Amino acid sequence: NYRVKWSKVEPANYRESIIIITNGLYHKNYGPLSPRVRLRHSHRYDASLTITDVALEDEGRYRCQLVNGLEDESISLTLHLEGVVFPYQPSNGRYKFNYQEAKRACEQQDSRLATYQQLYKAWTEGLDWCNAGWILDGTVHYPIINSREPCGGRLLLPGVRTYGARDKQKDRFDAFCFTSALQGSQVYFIRGHLNFKEAGQACRNHGAAIAKVGQLYSAWKFSQLDRCDGGWLADGSVRYPITTPRERCGGLPDPGVRSFGFPSKELRTY
């Protein structure tokens, strides 16, 4: 006798977007999730939501309401995706993105702006970054493990430092992006002394495409990709993933994706 209503709480504005409403045997789907959602119906009282082909933007808070005139019930739950957060800035230097540009930049790198929970979790796992960046709710933060002078001084405690909500049009910062292993793609290395254009062609010769930054981070995190050689990526940057730190691979003690920045695309070095 209950109507079932599932909705998603959008973190940027805390509004609820309806996903599916049922009324007896009838149901109607709404919004961008529409083609990928249904009720599970494993028995007559089962109102569980099933999402197929889960995507990065599906992460977040969902609400299920059971509506029956006088007696209404509701429950909220959060869908967490296993992933990795990485700081991102463009080739022309730091603090160049307003909010919408930061959002677009992450999407172009096969990722999305991180939530505060994702950034906080990344900090607990060792993310230490001095530049402030946008996150999904329009606030700006930076995670610090080792307090130091250029990053607010030695006296400030470690933590996720915050600038709070900023003007999404006028203020400019870097971006904190989140990616996961959802795409099912494989990242692999092609050896050679190639410029940027030749690297792209080498990938196409393999029936592949030059990797994006988010894809490299995902391969490092979930496939333990470990290469000591710098390789071109789609945004024109050169990076290499290290899962087993060693002296000749940058000399840093922790695993990570190291960067050579954005060298000249004409260099036949990587």
Side-chain angles (χ1 to χ4, degrees):
N1 298 325
Y2 282 94
R3 284 195 307 137
V4 178
K5 180 170 113 177
W6 275 97
S7 52
K8 186 166 190 279
V9 182
E10 302 300 341
N13 51 23
Y14 299 104
R15 289 191 188 143
E16 288 193 14
S17 303
I18 296 171
I19 298 170
I20 189 170
I21 294 179
T22 70
N23 193 357
L25 296 174
Y26 301 100
H27 73 273
K28 185 162 185 188
N29 293 9
Y30 296 86
L33 270 168
S34 178
R36 298 189 286 117
V37 294
R38 60 181 174 81
L39 290 196
R40 188 170 63 184
H41 280 320
S42 59
H43 55 79
R44 59 183 294 216
Y45 298 115
D46 184 13
S48 305
L49 184 72
T50 297
I51 305 175
T52 56
D53 299 326
V54 173
L56 286 172
E57 57 270 20
D58 297 341
E59 177 159 283
R61 195 157 149 254
Y62 291 78
R63 194 153 83 101
C64 175
Q65 290 171 277
L66 301 174
V67 184
N68 183 21
L70 299 175
E71 296 180 55
D72 294 350
E73 302 269 353
S74 90
I75 187 170
S76 289
L77 56 93
T78 303
L79 172 63
H80 287 294
L81 300 180
E82 194 64 31
V84 56
V85 172
F86 61 94
Y88 190 74
Q89 57 182 225
S91 58
N92 56 346
R94 71 175 203 155
Y95 294 177
K96 302 293 182 186
F97 297 134
N98 67 22
Y99 175 78
Q100 290 301 334
E101 290 164 346
K103 194 165 179 282
R104 253 192 321 273
C106 288
E107 288 163 2
Q108 285 164 356
Q109 296 310 315
D110 211 40
S111 58
R112 69 194 293 259
L113 278 175
T115 64
Y116 182 81
Q117 288 78 9
Q118 289 163 347
L119 183 62
Y120 181 84
K121 183 170 185 283
W123 171 73
T124 67
E125 294 170 351
L127 182 61
D128 182 282
W129 196 255
C130 210
N131 294 348
W134 294 101
I135 62 171
L136 189 59
D137 64 4
T139 57
V140 174
H141 310 266
Y142 65 104
I144 294 294
I145 303 279
N146 303 306
S147 298
R148 51 203 187 273
E149 282 310 324
C151 307
R154 295 178 189 278
L155 298 179
L156 271 182
L157 290 172
V160 179
R161 312 255 177 86
T162 180
Y163 287 9
R166 310 300 289 194
D167 188 310
K168 290 183 178 180
Q169 294 299 322
K170 295 178 184 170
D171 288 329
R172 296 190 171 269
F173 297 96
D174 291 346
F176 285 105
C177 304
F178 172 84
T179 191
S180 184
L182 292 171
Q183 310 306 320
S185 56
Q186 180 199 358
V187 177
Y188 60 94
F189 184 81
I190 298 173
R191 183 179 290 282
H193 295 285
L194 310 170
N195 64 28
F196 176 71
K197 192 174 176 184
E198 290 166 342
Q201 187 58 52
C203 290
R204 288 191 292 279
N205 292 346
H206 280 238
I210 195 164
K212 297 177 178 180
V213 177
Q215 292 167 342
L216 184 65
Y217 270 91
S218 178
W220 164 73
K221 175 86 170 177
F222 298 105
S223 306
Q224 283 69 57
L225 185 64
D226 186 291
R227 290 296 313 201
C228 214
D229 311 277
W232 292 103
L233 294 174
D235 67 341
S237 65
V238 172
R239 304 171 198 250
Y240 62 104
I242 296 293
T243 52
T244 308
R246 46 212 187 270
E247 200 56 48
R248 293 189 177 185
C249 299
L252 294 173
D254 299 312
V257 175
R258 321 270 198 247
S259 174
F260 285 119
F262 294 84
S264 164
K265 289 183 176 179
E266 304 306 314
L267 280 179
R268 302 183 73 187
T269 310
Y270 304 107

